[in-house]
Every structure is written in C-alpha cells, then in structure tokens.
Amino acid sequence: MKYSNFAIILAIGLSCTACGQQTVKEKETLTTTSKQQHTMDLSKITDPQLKQAIEALQAGDKSWYSFFTENPTMTDDGNKVDFKSFFANALGKEMFLSIDRVENDSKEIHGNFKAGQWGTFPVFFRFHKNTEGKFDRLDIGQDK
C-alpha cells in the first residue's frame, strides 16, 4: 500500500513537471520571434554614415557616439538636452521599431520608436552634419 501511494504521487508530480516544460523547438521559436521584431529594412536611408549610425543605435552599440562631434547639440521636443547623458540612459534600451519615412537627403528619419519607460510612439530624428562629416546636432521629437 505504501509503495502504490508513492508511485501515484510520483507519477502525478512528473506529469505536472513535464507539462510545464517548453520543448527546444518552442524555445527557438520564441527567441527567433523576439529577434525578428527588432530587424527592419534600413534601405530607405541612402546616407551610408547615417545608416551605420542607426545600425549602431538599433544594436545599442557605443560606436553610436563615434558618428558625432565631441559635444553635439541636441534637442528633445524642442528642449535642449545633453547628448551624452541622454544616450547614456537610452542606448541599448530605446530603438526604432519601424522606419516609415526618410526625408531631407536621409538626414531626417520618421518612424515608430520604443522609448523605454515612455512607451512606443511616432518620432522624428533630424541629423545635422558639419563640414568634417560628423553629426554636430540631433533634433528628436514626437512626430505628428
């Protein structure tokens, strides 16, 4: 009698554990779906330097800073902000989910943006390039 109760309890416990496990295929599908959500078509961006900068932004790569002058001017919805402080908090957490429109010789990008704790909404990024080819100003804001 003792052994049959133990066997029943063991069988129930093992079946519950097995039901809650994901198969390797299910885990791969979840990972693939997650990665695919951040992949997008950047072919609309014709400026090669700006395209590389956006790729760095999307990847959360600190090479993002190398595309800018030492102390670029930045505005967020018209308010002046410190570029380095802003991206110290945003890089790797905030990114474009889609690029819907590119204007002004690829210096203005419009799209849906994941802005960390602030949510997801349409934005514009307007890049200004100096004579040495570095971005010396970035204006960002909520798009209409």
Side-chain angles (χ1 to χ4, degrees):
M1 182 92 170
K2 289 181 192 177
Y3 293 113
S4 65
N5 286 341
F6 176 74
I8 292 171
I9 291 170
L10 182 61
I12 291 171
L14 290 175
S15 67
C16 289
T17 302
C19 292
Q21 293 178 349
Q22 291 178 329
T23 65
V24 171
K25 186 155 184 87
E26 287 172 325
K27 287 179 184 175
E28 287 174 359
T29 302
L30 291 172
T31 303
T32 304
T33 302
S34 175
K35 287 179 184 174
Q36 287 175 347
Q37 289 173 346
H38 298 297
T39 304
M40 78 176 87
D41 181 15
L42 300 177
S43 66
K44 295 176 187 176
I45 304 171
T46 57
D47 181 306
Q49 185 181 11
L50 184 55
K51 187 175 187 177
Q52 289 175 341
I54 294 297
E55 288 170 345
L57 174 67
Q58 293 300 106
D61 188 333
K62 290 187 181 193
S63 67
W64 162 256
Y65 297 108
S66 69
F67 295 96
F68 293 85
T69 58
E70 181 62 31
N71 194 18
T73 301
M74 182 175 169
T75 63
D76 181 4
D77 281 328
N79 301 306
K80 193 170 182 175
V81 294
D82 183 77
F83 175 84
K84 288 181 183 171
S85 295
F86 183 92
F87 282 102
N89 294 321
L91 195 62
K93 298 176 201 137
E94 300 187 8
M95 67 191 68
F96 279 96
L97 299 176
S98 66
I99 294 179
D100 303 324
R101 202 168 75 243
V102 178
E103 298 175 342
N104 192 20
D105 294 323
S106 280
K107 291 178 186 69
E108 193 168 319
I109 299 175
H110 300 259
N112 202 25
F113 196 78
K114 177 185 169 195
Q117 67 182 358
W118 307 109
T120 301
F121 46 86
V123 299
F124 69 86
F125 274 46
R126 188 174 301 123
F127 295 82
H128 303 265
K129 198 183 278 191
N130 68 13
T131 55
E132 288 85 40
K134 292 256 188 179
F135 300 115
D136 60 1
R137 181 181 179 109
L138 176 61
D139 300 306
I140 66 173
Q142 205 162 347
D143 215 356
K144 297 176 178 139

